[in-house]
Amino acid sequence: MFISNAYAQTAPVADAGIMGSLTTFLPLILMFVVMYFLMIRPQQKRQKEAKAMMDALAKGDEVVTAGGIVGRVSKVAEAYVTLEVAVGTDITVQKNSVTTLLPKGTLKAL
């Protein structure tokens, strides 16, 4: 009766145009660019290096497997590698389980 109702005013909607939509998606675009350079690109580089190492495996190379087995490559097949872990002891592992190519002479130093 004595107090009138207060209604919120509505502001006129301005047409944002292309700049408004760009500023809306700019944080999302920046996050994708940062993720690409910090996560995706280094991972792709590591995968290329690992594939190149697996393709370059040859008889006589000294390697470490994912399980920590150290051995000398005695035979290379398409998907498998035979490692000599001791004199007269050979094991066959998948090629992708080879993680590190050691410098020549490392096994003699162990």
Side-chain angles (χ1 to χ4, degrees):
M1 302 257 190
F2 295 108
I3 301 174
S4 62
N5 293 332
Y7 296 106
Q9 290 183 338
T10 58
V13 178
D15 185 21
I18 193 155
M19 285 304 287
S21 62
L22 182 63
T23 57
T24 303
F25 290 111
L26 189 63
L28 184 63
I29 293 169
L30 288 175
M31 283 178 22
F32 180 74
V33 169
V34 169
M35 291 287 275
Y36 177 77
F37 282 108
L38 292 180
M39 295 177 71
I40 297 170
R41 191 167 176 243
Q43 180 63 27
Q44 288 176 342
K45 186 177 178 183
R46 279 192 297 270
Q47 285 176 341
K48 283 182 184 178
E49 289 171 356
K51 183 169 176 28
M53 188 228 7
M54 282 187 251
D55 291 341
L57 282 178
K59 184 176 179 180
D61 288 343
E62 298 173 357
V63 296
V64 177
T65 65
I69 298 173
V70 179
R72 182 175 287 116
V73 176
S74 60
K75 184 173 135 185
V76 178
E78 180 125 357
Y80 296 97
V81 175
T82 302
L83 299 178
E84 181 182 9
V85 292
V87 177
T89 306
D90 290 340
I91 60 170
T92 303
V93 296
Q94 288 183 339
K95 207 180 226 186
N96 60 3
S97 70
V98 174
T99 58
T100 308
L101 187 62
L102 298 172
K104 298 281 184 185
T106 304
L107 289 179
K108 290 182 181 181
L110 295 176

